[in-house]
Amino acid sequence: LPQVLIHHGLFPTVPLQPRIAVSLELLSFYRALFERSCNTINALVAALKTHYTRRGFQLTDSHVSLWFRCS
């Protein structure tokens, strides 16, 4: 099953009997953010907010808390 998932562009979260898989394109996007940002979580959130805003979704809660800081 893991080989079939990878063949279809998905990465399994566990090697045996995966129930969840992540898009390889999403992992590539996350890697690009990580390489260019000290605080990847905030960069990811900002990118997703822009993406969803452009698709017509609206922000319903603007409260954001920092989980960690860059060293």
Side-chain angles (χ1 to χ4, degrees), residues 27-63:
L27 292 175
S28 177
F29 176 65
Y30 184 81
R31 180 179 179 192
L33 283 172
F34 181 78
E35 291 171 346
R36 291 166 180 77
S37 173
C38 179
N39 196 340
T40 306
I41 298 298
N42 285 339
L44 177 61
V45 168
L48 289 172
K49 179 184 180 295
T50 300
H51 175 72
Y52 284 122
T53 299
R54 289 177 181 166
R55 295 191 66 193
F57 293 93
Q58 295 181 350
L59 182 66
T60 58
D61 184 2
S62 62
H63 177 72

